[in-house]
Amino acid sequence: MTISYQSEYWNTEGGARWVRTQPLMDALFARHGEIAMDAASLDRGESVLDVGCGCGDTTLTVARRVGLRGTVVGVDISAPMLEQAERRVATERLPNVRFELGDVATHPLPEQHFDAVISRFGIMFFEDPPAAFGRIHRALKRGGRFAAVCWRRPDDNPWITTPRDAVAPFVKLNPVDPAAPGPFSLASNDRVHSLLAGAGFDAIRIEPLDLPLTFGRTEDEAAKLLVLLGPVGRALSEETDEVRIRAIAAIATSIAPFRHGSYIEIASGAWLVTARRAD
Ligand SMILES: C[S@@+](CC[C@H](N)C(=O)[O-])C[C@H]1O[C@@H](n2cnc3c(N)ncnc32)[C@H](O)[C@@H]1O
């Protein structure tokens, strides 16, 4: 069996980095998840699928929203992230949550089963997007709702481009390929629309969602978090501690203009994507 790049990445350093920084990541992206859940109009007693659920933060929030008569399944390709998710469910003793390890493009999801499917930044890494969105569509009941957030272009996300530009003189960064799986693979709203329409979705809406992200109180604290994220985080995982320390210093200087009062706050640009399976 061929192991895909994404599967390998999320089962090794990518997944390990998310597990290590899970509370920070959850605080950073909490609002995006809440907005996707609001857009999915989740109701008590419903059955929900969380795609690319990672360490399970959104899955647990959905479980609280749908209540004990509802259920939520989180599916993800990352074993270490799902292990972290399982630990959290055990701590919170939520009986209506289940996690399944698999690529949503091939995982045997039940057909016409879920009232809603949500995802917080879990839909941009699919190796086979038409197959993945097709399977998500088939897993929804007729009339079922889909709501997800994904990143827009790098230029709409200075929280990614500012650290990237700061380290570019001394760190080898891979160029962004908009067609390849990765954080910006769904930056084109035309591409998102055509993938969803191709999968059979109706009522497709793709709206910009601009939210400031708070990275810390000091430039140094914020730089230590930013150095772990996005393309910079990936590139630095292959570098020495010396380079990493240099990167933190360069990023700390570059983000000084983003101080707003007591916090370092940098703009982010996502799409809020909603759609329905026709009745
Ligand atoms: C940026 S992380 C987001 C995790 C989580 N949704 C959150 O907001 O904390 C992307 C997640 O998508 C998962 N993923 C990538 N490709 C996938 C696929 N084909 N099927 C299921 N999960 C996938 C990764 O393992 C990772 O957990």
Short mmCIF file of all heavy atoms in Angstrom, two decimals, residues 4 6-7 9-11 14-15 18 22 25-26 29-30 33 50-59 75-79 81-82 88 100-107 118-128 132 149 151 181 183 234, ligand 1:
data_model
loop_
_atom_site.label_atom_id
_atom_site.label_comp_id
_atom_site.label_asym_id
_atom_site.label_seq_id
_atom_site.Cartn_x
_atom_site.Cartn_y
_atom_site.Cartn_z
N SER A 4 0.42 7.99 1.64
CA SER A 4 0.43 9.33 1.02
C SER A 4 1.26 10.27 1.86
O SER A 4 1.47 10.07 3.06
CB SER A 4 -1.00 9.85 0.91
OG SER A 4 -1.45 10.24 2.18
N GLN A 6 0.41 13.23 2.88
CA GLN A 6 -0.41 13.81 3.95
C GLN A 6 -0.55 12.84 5.12
O GLN A 6 -0.46 13.23 6.28
CB GLN A 6 -1.80 14.21 3.41
CG GLN A 6 -1.77 15.40 2.48
CD GLN A 6 -1.24 16.67 3.14
OE1 GLN A 6 -1.49 16.93 4.31
NE2 GLN A 6 -0.49 17.45 2.38
N SER A 7 -0.78 11.57 4.80
CA SER A 7 -0.94 10.59 5.85
C SER A 7 0.36 10.49 6.66
O SER A 7 0.34 10.47 7.90
CB SER A 7 -1.32 9.24 5.24
OG SER A 7 -1.36 8.29 6.23
N TYR A 9 2.71 12.79 6.96
CA TYR A 9 2.94 14.06 7.68
C TYR A 9 2.10 14.14 8.96
O TYR A 9 2.60 14.46 10.04
CB TYR A 9 2.62 15.23 6.74
CG TYR A 9 2.69 16.57 7.44
CD1 TYR A 9 3.92 17.15 7.74
CD2 TYR A 9 1.53 17.23 7.82
CE1 TYR A 9 3.99 18.37 8.39
CE2 TYR A 9 1.60 18.46 8.47
CZ TYR A 9 2.83 19.02 8.75
OH TYR A 9 2.90 20.21 9.41
N TRP A 10 0.80 13.83 8.84
CA TRP A 10 -0.09 13.97 10.00
C TRP A 10 0.10 12.85 11.02
O TRP A 10 -0.38 12.95 12.14
CB TRP A 10 -1.55 14.08 9.56
CG TRP A 10 -1.83 15.36 8.83
CD1 TRP A 10 -2.01 15.51 7.48
CD2 TRP A 10 -1.93 16.68 9.39
NE1 TRP A 10 -2.21 16.84 7.18
CE2 TRP A 10 -2.16 17.58 8.32
CE3 TRP A 10 -1.83 17.19 10.69
CZ2 TRP A 10 -2.30 18.96 8.52
CZ3 TRP A 10 -1.97 18.56 10.88
CH2 TRP A 10 -2.20 19.42 9.81
N ASN A 11 0.79 11.77 10.60
CA ASN A 11 1.08 10.69 11.56
C ASN A 11 2.47 10.81 12.16
O ASN A 11 2.85 9.99 12.99
CB ASN A 11 0.88 9.33 10.91
CG ASN A 11 -0.59 8.95 10.91
OD1 ASN A 11 -1.14 8.61 11.96
ND2 ASN A 11 -1.24 9.08 9.76
N GLY A 14 3.85 16.48 11.82
CA GLY A 14 2.69 17.40 11.74
C GLY A 14 1.72 17.11 12.88
O GLY A 14 1.31 18.01 13.62
N GLY A 15 1.36 15.82 13.04
CA GLY A 15 0.43 15.43 14.10
C GLY A 15 1.04 15.68 15.47
O GLY A 15 0.36 16.18 16.38
N TRP A 18 0.79 19.29 16.47
CA TRP A 18 -0.57 19.69 16.89
C TRP A 18 -0.90 19.15 18.28
O TRP A 18 -1.52 19.83 19.09
CB TRP A 18 -1.62 19.22 15.86
CG TRP A 18 -1.82 20.23 14.78
CD1 TRP A 18 -0.96 20.49 13.75
CD2 TRP A 18 -2.91 21.15 14.64
NE1 TRP A 18 -1.47 21.51 12.98
CE2 TRP A 18 -2.66 21.93 13.50
CE3 TRP A 18 -4.10 21.37 15.36
CZ2 TRP A 18 -3.54 22.92 13.05
CZ3 TRP A 18 -4.97 22.36 14.92
CH2 TRP A 18 -4.69 23.12 13.78
N GLN A 22 -1.77 21.59 21.31
CA GLN A 22 -3.23 21.53 21.17
C GLN A 22 -4.00 22.64 21.91
O GLN A 22 -4.84 23.31 21.26
CB GLN A 22 -3.71 20.13 21.58
CG GLN A 22 -5.19 19.95 21.59
CD GLN A 22 -5.68 19.69 22.97
OE1 GLN A 22 -5.17 18.82 23.65
NE2 GLN A 22 -6.68 20.45 23.41
N MET A 25 -3.56 25.87 19.85
CA MET A 25 -4.25 25.80 18.56
C MET A 25 -5.76 25.96 18.76
O MET A 25 -6.43 26.68 18.02
CB MET A 25 -4.01 24.45 17.87
CG MET A 25 -2.57 24.15 17.58
SD MET A 25 -1.92 25.24 16.30
CE MET A 25 -0.58 24.24 15.70
N ASP A 26 -6.28 25.30 19.79
CA ASP A 26 -7.72 25.36 20.03
C ASP A 26 -8.15 26.78 20.39
O ASP A 26 -9.20 27.26 19.95
CB ASP A 26 -8.13 24.38 21.14
CG ASP A 26 -8.02 22.94 20.67
OD1 ASP A 26 -7.95 22.72 19.44
OD2 ASP A 26 -7.99 22.04 21.51
N PHE A 29 -8.08 28.97 17.11
CA PHE A 29 -9.08 28.74 16.07
C PHE A 29 -10.49 28.45 16.61
O PHE A 29 -11.37 28.04 15.86
CB PHE A 29 -8.62 27.59 15.15
CG PHE A 29 -7.26 27.84 14.54
CD1 PHE A 29 -6.22 26.93 14.69
CD2 PHE A 29 -7.02 29.00 13.82
CE1 PHE A 29 -4.96 27.18 14.14
CE2 PHE A 29 -5.77 29.26 13.26
CZ PHE A 29 -4.73 28.35 13.42
N ALA A 30 -10.69 28.69 17.92
CA ALA A 30 -11.99 28.38 18.53
C ALA A 30 -13.14 29.08 17.82
O ALA A 30 -14.17 28.48 17.50
CB ALA A 30 -11.97 28.77 20.00
N GLY A 33 -14.29 27.58 14.57
CA GLY A 33 -15.09 26.37 14.76
C GLY A 33 -16.51 26.70 15.17
O GLY A 33 -17.49 26.13 14.65
N ASP A 50 -17.59 15.14 12.04
CA ASP A 50 -16.56 16.19 12.09
C ASP A 50 -15.38 15.69 11.24
O ASP A 50 -14.69 14.72 11.62
CB ASP A 50 -16.14 16.41 13.55
CG ASP A 50 -15.12 17.54 13.71
OD1 ASP A 50 -14.75 18.16 12.70
OD2 ASP A 50 -14.71 17.79 14.87
N VAL A 51 -15.16 16.32 10.10
CA VAL A 51 -14.15 15.85 9.13
C VAL A 51 -12.78 16.46 9.45
O VAL A 51 -12.65 17.66 9.58
CB VAL A 51 -14.58 16.22 7.70
CG1 VAL A 51 -13.45 15.99 6.71
CG2 VAL A 51 -15.80 15.42 7.30
N GLY A 52 -11.76 15.60 9.53
CA GLY A 52 -10.41 16.07 9.88
C GLY A 52 -10.43 16.66 11.28
O GLY A 52 -9.92 17.75 11.51
N CYS A 53 -10.99 15.89 12.21
CA CYS A 53 -11.29 16.40 13.57
C CYS A 53 -10.05 16.62 14.42
O CYS A 53 -10.11 17.27 15.46
CB CYS A 53 -12.24 15.44 14.28
SG CYS A 53 -11.47 13.82 14.55
N GLY A 54 -8.91 16.06 14.01
CA GLY A 54 -7.66 16.27 14.74
C GLY A 54 -7.76 15.84 16.19
O GLY A 54 -8.18 14.72 16.50
N CYS A 55 -7.38 16.73 17.10
CA CYS A 55 -7.36 16.40 18.54
C CYS A 55 -8.74 16.53 19.18
O CYS A 55 -8.86 16.47 20.41
CB CYS A 55 -6.35 17.28 19.27
SG CYS A 55 -4.68 17.11 18.63
N GLY A 56 -9.78 16.74 18.35
CA GLY A 56 -11.15 16.57 18.83
C GLY A 56 -11.82 17.77 19.48
O GLY A 56 -12.92 17.64 20.03
N ASP A 57 -11.19 18.95 19.40
CA ASP A 57 -11.79 20.11 20.08
C ASP A 57 -13.21 20.40 19.56
O ASP A 57 -14.16 20.54 20.34
CB ASP A 57 -10.89 21.33 19.86
CG ASP A 57 -11.34 22.52 20.69
OD1 ASP A 57 -11.45 22.35 21.91
OD2 ASP A 57 -11.58 23.59 20.12
N THR A 58 -13.35 20.46 18.23
CA THR A 58 -14.67 20.76 17.67
C THR A 58 -15.62 19.59 17.90
O THR A 58 -16.82 19.80 18.13
CB THR A 58 -14.56 21.05 16.15
OG1 THR A 58 -13.68 20.09 15.56
CG2 THR A 58 -14.03 22.45 15.90
N THR A 59 -15.09 18.37 17.86
CA THR A 59 -15.95 17.18 18.07
C THR A 59 -16.60 17.25 19.45
O THR A 59 -17.80 16.98 19.60
CB THR A 59 -15.09 15.90 17.96
OG1 THR A 59 -14.06 16.09 17.01
CG2 THR A 59 -15.94 14.71 17.56
N VAL A 75 -13.67 11.95 12.22
CA VAL A 75 -12.83 11.10 11.37
C VAL A 75 -11.56 11.86 11.02
O VAL A 75 -11.60 13.06 10.75
CB VAL A 75 -13.61 10.60 10.12
CG1 VAL A 75 -13.96 11.73 9.19
CG2 VAL A 75 -12.81 9.55 9.35
N ASP A 76 -10.42 11.15 11.05
CA ASP A 76 -9.14 11.81 10.79
C ASP A 76 -8.12 10.75 10.38
O ASP A 76 -8.22 9.59 10.78
CB ASP A 76 -8.65 12.54 12.06
CG ASP A 76 -7.65 13.64 11.73
OD1 ASP A 76 -6.49 13.32 11.41
OD2 ASP A 76 -8.05 14.82 11.76
N ILE A 77 -7.11 11.21 9.60
CA ILE A 77 -6.04 10.26 9.18
C ILE A 77 -4.89 10.19 10.19
O ILE A 77 -3.96 9.41 9.98
CB ILE A 77 -5.42 10.63 7.80
CG1 ILE A 77 -5.05 12.12 7.75
CG2 ILE A 77 -6.28 10.21 6.66
CD1 ILE A 77 -4.18 12.47 6.56
N SER A 78 -4.93 11.00 11.25
CA SER A 78 -3.79 11.07 12.15
C SER A 78 -4.03 10.26 13.43
O SER A 78 -4.83 10.65 14.28
CB SER A 78 -3.53 12.54 12.53
OG SER A 78 -2.58 12.60 13.56
N ALA A 79 -3.29 9.15 13.57
CA ALA A 79 -3.44 8.33 14.79
C ALA A 79 -3.03 9.10 16.05
O ALA A 79 -3.78 9.08 17.03
CB ALA A 79 -2.65 7.03 14.64
N MET A 81 -3.15 12.28 16.72
CA MET A 81 -4.13 13.31 17.05
C MET A 81 -5.41 12.67 17.59
O MET A 81 -6.01 13.17 18.54
CB MET A 81 -4.39 14.21 15.84
CG MET A 81 -3.17 15.07 15.53
SD MET A 81 -3.26 15.98 13.98
CE MET A 81 -4.23 17.41 14.42
N LEU A 82 -5.80 11.52 17.00
CA LEU A 82 -7.00 10.84 17.51
C LEU A 82 -6.76 10.27 18.91
O LEU A 82 -7.69 10.23 19.73
CB LEU A 82 -7.44 9.73 16.55
CG LEU A 82 -8.10 10.20 15.25
CD1 LEU A 82 -8.66 9.01 14.48
CD2 LEU A 82 -9.21 11.22 15.49
N ARG A 88 -9.12 13.13 25.67
CA ARG A 88 -9.97 14.24 26.10
C ARG A 88 -11.40 13.77 26.35
O ARG A 88 -12.06 14.20 27.28
CB ARG A 88 -9.94 15.35 25.05
CG ARG A 88 -8.55 15.93 24.90
CD ARG A 88 -8.48 16.91 23.79
NE ARG A 88 -9.11 18.17 24.14
CZ ARG A 88 -9.29 19.17 23.28
NH1 ARG A 88 -8.90 19.04 22.03
NH2 ARG A 88 -9.85 20.28 23.66
N GLU A 100 -12.91 7.84 14.47
CA GLU A 100 -12.54 6.78 13.53
C GLU A 100 -11.33 7.24 12.73
O GLU A 100 -11.29 8.37 12.25
CB GLU A 100 -13.72 6.47 12.59
CG GLU A 100 -14.89 5.89 13.36
CD GLU A 100 -16.09 5.53 12.49
OE1 GLU A 100 -15.99 5.63 11.25
OE2 GLU A 100 -17.12 5.14 13.07
N LEU A 101 -10.36 6.32 12.60
CA LEU A 101 -9.13 6.62 11.87
C LEU A 101 -9.35 6.28 10.40
O LEU A 101 -9.70 5.15 10.07
CB LEU A 101 -7.99 5.77 12.43
CG LEU A 101 -6.62 5.94 11.79
CD1 LEU A 101 -6.05 7.33 12.03
CD2 LEU A 101 -5.65 4.88 12.32
N GLY A 102 -9.20 7.25 9.51
CA GLY A 102 -9.34 6.96 8.08
C GLY A 102 -9.30 8.21 7.24
O GLY A 102 -9.51 9.32 7.74
N ASP A 103 -9.02 8.00 5.97
CA ASP A 103 -9.06 9.08 4.97
C ASP A 103 -10.52 9.19 4.54
O ASP A 103 -11.12 8.20 4.11
CB ASP A 103 -8.17 8.67 3.79
CG ASP A 103 -8.16 9.71 2.68
OD1 ASP A 103 -9.11 10.50 2.57
OD2 ASP A 103 -7.19 9.70 1.90
N VAL A 104 -11.08 10.39 4.67
CA VAL A 104 -12.51 10.54 4.40
C VAL A 104 -12.85 10.17 2.95
O VAL A 104 -14.00 9.81 2.66
CB VAL A 104 -12.96 11.97 4.79
CG1 VAL A 104 -12.65 12.98 3.73
CG2 VAL A 104 -14.43 12.00 5.14
N ALA A 105 -11.85 10.18 2.06
CA ALA A 105 -12.11 9.81 0.66
C ALA A 105 -12.38 8.32 0.49
O ALA A 105 -13.04 7.91 -0.47
CB ALA A 105 -10.91 10.21 -0.21
N THR A 106 -11.89 7.51 1.43
CA THR A 106 -12.02 6.06 1.28
C THR A 106 -12.66 5.40 2.50
O THR A 106 -13.03 4.23 2.44
CB THR A 106 -10.61 5.42 1.08
OG1 THR A 106 -9.77 5.88 2.14
CG2 THR A 106 -10.01 5.81 -0.25
N HIS A 107 -12.78 6.13 3.59
CA HIS A 107 -13.30 5.55 4.83
C HIS A 107 -14.76 5.12 4.63
O HIS A 107 -15.55 5.84 4.03
CB HIS A 107 -13.22 6.60 5.94
CG HIS A 107 -13.46 6.04 7.30
ND1 HIS A 107 -12.61 5.13 7.89
CD2 HIS A 107 -14.47 6.24 8.18
CE1 HIS A 107 -13.08 4.81 9.08
NE2 HIS A 107 -14.21 5.46 9.28
N ILE A 118 -19.43 18.94 9.67
CA ILE A 118 -18.68 20.19 9.88
C ILE A 118 -17.19 19.90 9.74
O ILE A 118 -16.74 18.75 9.87
CB ILE A 118 -18.96 20.84 11.25
CG1 ILE A 118 -18.48 19.94 12.39
CG2 ILE A 118 -20.42 21.18 11.43
CD1 ILE A 118 -17.50 20.64 13.29
N SER A 119 -16.42 20.96 9.50
CA SER A 119 -14.96 20.81 9.54
C SER A 119 -14.30 22.16 9.83
O SER A 119 -14.67 23.18 9.24
CB SER A 119 -14.43 20.27 8.21
OG SER A 119 -13.03 20.10 8.31
N ARG A 120 -13.33 22.14 10.74
CA ARG A 120 -12.52 23.33 11.02
C ARG A 120 -11.13 23.06 10.44
O ARG A 120 -10.33 22.35 11.03
CB ARG A 120 -12.45 23.54 12.54
CG ARG A 120 -11.67 24.78 12.95
CD ARG A 120 -11.68 24.98 14.46
NE ARG A 120 -10.71 24.17 15.16
CZ ARG A 120 -10.54 24.16 16.48
NH1 ARG A 120 -11.32 24.91 17.25
NH2 ARG A 120 -9.64 23.39 17.06
N PHE A 121 -10.90 23.59 9.27
CA PHE A 121 -9.59 23.50 8.61
C PHE A 121 -9.14 22.05 8.38
O PHE A 121 -7.94 21.76 8.39
CB PHE A 121 -8.52 24.28 9.39
CG PHE A 121 -8.88 25.73 9.56
CD1 PHE A 121 -9.02 26.29 10.83
CD2 PHE A 121 -9.09 26.54 8.45
CE1 PHE A 121 -9.36 27.64 10.98
CE2 PHE A 121 -9.43 27.88 8.60
CZ PHE A 121 -9.56 28.43 9.86
N GLY A 122 -10.11 21.14 8.15
CA GLY A 122 -9.75 19.74 7.91
C GLY A 122 -10.00 19.31 6.47
O GLY A 122 -9.82 18.14 6.13
N ILE A 123 -10.40 20.25 5.59
CA ILE A 123 -10.81 19.84 4.23
C ILE A 123 -9.79 20.24 3.15
O ILE A 123 -10.03 19.98 1.98
CB ILE A 123 -12.20 20.42 3.86
CG1 ILE A 123 -12.19 21.96 3.91
CG2 ILE A 123 -13.29 19.84 4.73
CD1 ILE A 123 -13.48 22.60 3.34
N MET A 124 -8.68 20.86 3.54
CA MET A 124 -7.74 21.36 2.52
C MET A 124 -6.63 20.37 2.21
O MET A 124 -5.80 20.63 1.34
CB MET A 124 -7.08 22.67 2.98
CG MET A 124 -8.03 23.75 3.41
SD MET A 124 -8.27 23.66 5.20
CE MET A 124 -6.84 24.46 5.85
N PHE A 125 -6.57 19.27 2.97
CA PHE A 125 -5.43 18.36 2.85
C PHE A 125 -5.79 17.08 2.12
O PHE A 125 -4.98 16.15 2.07
CB PHE A 125 -4.90 18.04 4.26
CG PHE A 125 -4.54 19.28 5.04
CD1 PHE A 125 -5.46 19.88 5.89
CD2 PHE A 125 -3.31 19.89 4.87
CE1 PHE A 125 -5.14 21.04 6.59
CE2 PHE A 125 -2.99 21.05 5.55
CZ PHE A 125 -3.90 21.63 6.42
N PHE A 126 -7.00 17.02 1.56
CA PHE A 126 -7.42 15.79 0.87
C PHE A 126 -6.52 15.51 -0.32
O PHE A 126 -6.29 16.39 -1.15
CB PHE A 126 -8.86 15.92 0.35
CG PHE A 126 -9.90 16.12 1.41
CD1 PHE A 126 -11.08 16.81 1.09
CD2 PHE A 126 -9.75 15.63 2.69
CE1 PHE A 126 -12.08 17.01 2.05
CE2 PHE A 126 -10.73 15.82 3.65
CZ PHE A 126 -11.90 16.51 3.33
N GLU A 127 -6.04 14.26 -0.44
CA GLU A 127 -5.24 13.87 -1.61
C GLU A 127 -6.16 13.72 -2.82
O GLU A 127 -5.73 13.91 -3.95
CB GLU A 127 -4.53 12.53 -1.35
CG GLU A 127 -3.56 12.55 -0.17
CD GLU A 127 -2.16 13.00 -0.55
OE1 GLU A 127 -1.90 13.20 -1.75
OE2 GLU A 127 -1.34 13.15 0.37
N ASP A 128 -7.42 13.35 -2.56
CA ASP A 128 -8.37 13.14 -3.66
C ASP A 128 -9.65 13.92 -3.32
O ASP A 128 -10.65 13.34 -2.86
CB ASP A 128 -8.65 11.64 -3.79
CG ASP A 128 -9.53 11.33 -5.00
OD1 ASP A 128 -10.12 12.27 -5.58
OD2 ASP A 128 -9.63 10.14 -5.36
N ALA A 132 -13.31 12.71 -1.74
CA ALA A 132 -13.62 13.06 -0.35
C ALA A 132 -14.95 13.81 -0.25
O ALA A 132 -15.82 13.46 0.56
CB ALA A 132 -12.48 13.91 0.23
N VAL A 149 -14.73 25.62 7.46
CA VAL A 149 -13.86 26.78 7.22
C VAL A 149 -12.55 26.29 6.62
O VAL A 149 -12.06 25.21 6.95
CB VAL A 149 -13.58 27.60 8.51
CG1 VAL A 149 -14.76 28.45 8.90
CG2 VAL A 149 -13.15 26.70 9.67
N TRP A 151 -8.73 28.09 4.59
CA TRP A 151 -8.00 29.35 4.38
C TRP A 151 -8.17 29.91 2.98
O TRP A 151 -8.27 29.16 2.01
CB TRP A 151 -6.50 29.16 4.66
CG TRP A 151 -6.24 28.80 6.09
CD1 TRP A 151 -5.65 27.66 6.56
CD2 TRP A 151 -6.58 29.58 7.25
NE1 TRP A 151 -5.61 27.69 7.93
CE2 TRP A 151 -6.17 28.85 8.38
CE3 TRP A 151 -7.19 30.82 7.45
CZ2 TRP A 151 -6.35 29.31 9.69
CZ3 TRP A 151 -7.38 31.28 8.74
CH2 TRP A 151 -6.96 30.53 9.83
N PRO A 181 -2.53 19.32 -2.15
CA PRO A 181 -3.11 19.32 -0.80
C PRO A 181 -2.24 20.17 0.13
O PRO A 181 -1.02 20.08 0.09
CB PRO A 181 -3.04 17.86 -0.37
CG PRO A 181 -2.78 17.06 -1.60
CD PRO A 181 -2.17 17.97 -2.62
N PRO A 183 -2.53 23.89 3.18
CA PRO A 183 -3.42 24.89 3.77
C PRO A 183 -4.12 25.80 2.75
O PRO A 183 -5.19 26.32 3.03
CB PRO A 183 -2.49 25.70 4.68
CG PRO A 183 -1.10 25.22 4.43
CD PRO A 183 -1.17 23.92 3.73
N ARG A 234 6.47 23.75 9.21
CA ARG A 234 6.90 22.56 8.45
C ARG A 234 8.37 22.66 8.09
O ARG A 234 9.14 21.71 8.25
CB ARG A 234 6.10 22.43 7.15
CG ARG A 234 4.70 21.92 7.39
CD ARG A 234 4.03 21.54 6.07
NE ARG A 234 2.62 21.28 6.33
CZ ARG A 234 1.87 20.46 5.64
NH1 ARG A 234 2.36 19.81 4.62
NH2 ARG A 234 0.60 20.28 5.95
C1 LIG B 1 -5.17 21.77 10.31
S1 LIG B 1 -5.59 20.28 11.08
C2 LIG B 1 -7.16 20.70 11.82
C3 LIG B 1 -7.55 19.77 12.92
C4 LIG B 1 -8.86 20.10 13.64
N1 LIG B 1 -9.98 20.17 12.74
C5 LIG B 1 -8.74 21.38 14.43
O1 LIG B 1 -9.28 22.41 13.99
O2 LIG B 1 -8.13 21.35 15.49
C6 LIG B 1 -6.09 19.30 9.68
C7 LIG B 1 -6.56 17.91 10.03
O3 LIG B 1 -7.06 17.25 8.86
C8 LIG B 1 -6.69 15.88 8.94
N2 LIG B 1 -6.78 15.29 7.58
C9 LIG B 1 -5.99 15.58 6.51
N3 LIG B 1 -6.38 14.87 5.44
C10 LIG B 1 -7.43 14.10 5.83
C11 LIG B 1 -8.26 13.15 5.17
N4 LIG B 1 -8.07 12.84 3.88
N5 LIG B 1 -9.25 12.55 5.87
C12 LIG B 1 -9.43 12.85 7.20
N6 LIG B 1 -8.67 13.74 7.87
C13 LIG B 1 -7.70 14.37 7.20
C14 LIG B 1 -5.29 15.93 9.53
O4 LIG B 1 -4.85 14.71 10.04
C15 LIG B 1 -5.47 17.00 10.60
O5 LIG B 1 -5.91 16.47 11.80
#
